[in-house]
Amino acid sequence: MQEKDFVSYEYMTKQVKANAQTKAIDMYEAFGFEATSTTNAINGNINISFRRNRKQKHKQELNKLLRQAEEMQNNIDKLNSAKTSTANIFAYTFGIIAALILGGGMSMIMTIKDNIPVMVGGIILGIIGIALCCVNYFIYKKIVDKNTKKLLPVIDENEEKFANILEKGNDLLQAEQI
């Protein structure tokens, strides 16, 4: 009878966005985990199952580096969402105001039909509302570009730190195999 080497594993499942699947797999593999399966989750997310040998050498150091990498990845995600968050708030608020101005102009035209100056005022108000709705997108883009220029150096710095953490984890795994 053949003797088999028994290996016990620790298991973990992480839910990530579909576009971040390969980055997540690369990150966890740098710390000794192996992706075993992926399944679709709700809201366009993906569940990735990982396993790692329980008797992994340097396990405490790898876990510490893994926590640092997860924290750094969360910071990078927050910085990337910060590029558009203030622009989104402004665009929604400005869009609502522009729509209200447009609606006010339409209401003036529809409800008061006998008074010509009120109708002309309603038309002018409606045109102003339409113009504000059209300008909203360009203001949004300008705010996003400004925030991106401001945050890009910080994101790049965090990406470099993230890569260094992954390299340290991979170096620990390589040191074990030598």
Side-chain angles (χ1 to χ4, degrees), residues 86-177:
T86 55
N88 284 337
I89 292 168
F90 173 81
Y92 289 135
T93 305
F94 192 80
I96 289 169
I97 292 168
L100 288 172
I101 291 171
L102 173 62
M106 288 176 51
S107 295
M108 287 174 69
I109 292 171
M110 295 176 143
T111 57
I112 306 172
K113 295 182 181 180
D114 295 338
N115 195 342
I116 299 296
V118 174
M119 282 182 59
V120 171
I123 291 171
I124 292 171
L125 202 57
I127 291 171
I128 292 170
I130 290 171
L132 290 175
C133 287
C134 294
V135 167
N136 191 12
Y137 173 74
F138 298 107
I139 297 172
Y140 168 82
K141 289 299 286 179
K142 193 167 194 161
I143 294 171
V144 169
D145 290 343
K146 180 183 170 190
N147 287 345
T148 300
K149 285 179 185 176
K150 185 174 71 173
L151 291 173
L152 204 54
V154 179
I155 292 171
D156 288 342
E157 180 183 320
N158 282 331
E159 287 280 355
E160 188 63 33
K161 288 178 183 176
F162 179 73
N164 289 336
I165 292 170
L166 294 183
E167 287 174 7
K168 286 179 186 176
N170 193 38
D171 289 346
L172 279 175
L173 290 175
Q174 298 302 321
E176 170 186 312
Q177 295 175 357

Side-chain angles (χ1 to χ4, degrees), residues 49-84:
S49 298
F50 296 97
R51 73 178 185 180
R52 177 172 69 176
N53 187 343
R54 283 193 179 279
K55 295 182 181 172
Q56 181 82 44
K57 292 181 182 175
H58 311 291
K59 189 174 176 182
Q60 288 180 338
E61 293 89 359
L62 288 170
N63 285 338
K64 180 181 174 187
L65 288 171
L66 176 60
R67 283 190 298 275
Q68 290 175 357
E70 288 174 335
E71 185 178 304
M72 191 62 61
Q73 183 61 44
N74 287 338
N75 288 341
I76 292 168
D77 291 342
K78 286 177 186 175
L79 287 169
N80 280 323
S81 67
K83 290 190 293 188
T84 59

